[in-house]
Amino acid sequence: LVGARKCGRGVGEGGFDILHQHGGGRAPGWLARRAGHTRTVLHLWSHVAEAKGVNPVPIRTLDADCVLATSNAVARWVVDRKAEVVYPAVDIPPLPPRTPPGGPRTIGTAGRLVPMKGVTHLIRALPLVRSRIANVLLEIAGVGPERKSLEDARSPWNSASSAMTATPAPSS
C-alpha cells in the first residue's frame, strides 16, 4: 500500500498528462484515473502472466485510455477492447563484421534463467545452428532457478567449436 500511495501522490502532484504503463497490475491506471486528468496508455508486451506460469492468460485493460500491443499475438489476448499493434523496431545501420572470416561467432543471451525465457530451447537449437554455421559459441549470463540444469546441460556442447557458460548477470 505504501508504494500505491506514493505512486498516487506522484501522479496527482506531478501534473502528468499521460501515464505510460508496461503491463503490470490495475493500480497505476486506477490511481491515474482518480488523480485527475491523467490519461493511461497500457503497453502490453506479453500475453503471459509470469506469476501464473507460462500459459497465455486473457488481458483485461480496465482503466486504460489506450492499449498498445507489441504484436498481433499479444493483441489477440486483450478481451475487453481492441488493442492497437505497434511493432517495436529500431533501425540499425549496417555494422562491419566483428568476427574475422572463419573466426568464432557468438550467440549470447542475458536475463533471468526461468522457464518462460526459453533458454533451454536455445540450447536445443544449437545443433541445428552448428549444422549451418561452423565455429559457434553460446554464452548465457544470468541467475535463476534453471541455472543448475543449464550448467548440467553445458557439457555436451562444450567443445572446441561450441561452448556454453552460465554466469551471473551484473546486478543493477
Side-chain angles (χ1 to χ4, degrees):
L1 270 182
V2 173
R5 274 193 227 121
K6 191 183 281 188
C7 178
R9 228 178 299 119
V11 170
E13 294 169 4
F16 299 108
D17 293 317
I18 298 174
L19 172 69
H20 186 135
Q21 180 184 352
H22 281 242
R26 299 181 306 231
W30 185 86
L31 290 167
R33 176 84 57 226
R34 272 98 197 133
H37 68 281
T38 304
R39 299 288 185 210
T40 304
V41 174
L42 178 58
H43 192 166
L44 303 170
W45 49 268
S46 176
H47 56 290
V48 174
E50 289 185 51
K52 297 179 181 180
V54 295
N55 294 322
V57 295
I59 301 167
R60 301 197 190 308
T61 60
L62 301 174
D63 288 306
D65 294 292
C66 174
V67 179
L68 303 177
T70 57
S71 69
N72 283 317
V74 173
R76 276 193 293 272
W77 287 89
V78 175
V79 295
D80 52 359
R81 71 174 68 194
K82 182 181 185 312
E84 295 295 323
V85 177
V86 178
Y87 294 99
V90 176
D91 288 331
I92 300 175
L95 299 172
R98 297 192 304 181
T99 305
R105 296 184 182 236
T106 303
I107 299 171
T109 184
R112 290 176 295 125
L113 302 178
V114 296
M116 168 176 205
K117 300 297 182 177
V119 177
T120 55
H121 300 295
L122 178 60
I123 294 168
R124 285 190 208 125
L126 191 57
L128 177 62
V129 172
R130 287 177 61 198
S131 73
R132 297 179 183 173
I133 303 170
N135 205 2
V136 172
L137 301 174
L138 175 58
E139 297 281 341
I140 299 172
V143 294
E146 282 201 323
R147 181 171 177 157
K148 174 79 171 98
S149 63
L150 293 171
E151 286 175 342
D152 292 345
R154 170 173 54 185
S155 59
W157 314 116
N158 197 5
S159 69
S161 64
S162 173
M164 181 181 122
T165 59
T167 57
S171 59
S172 51

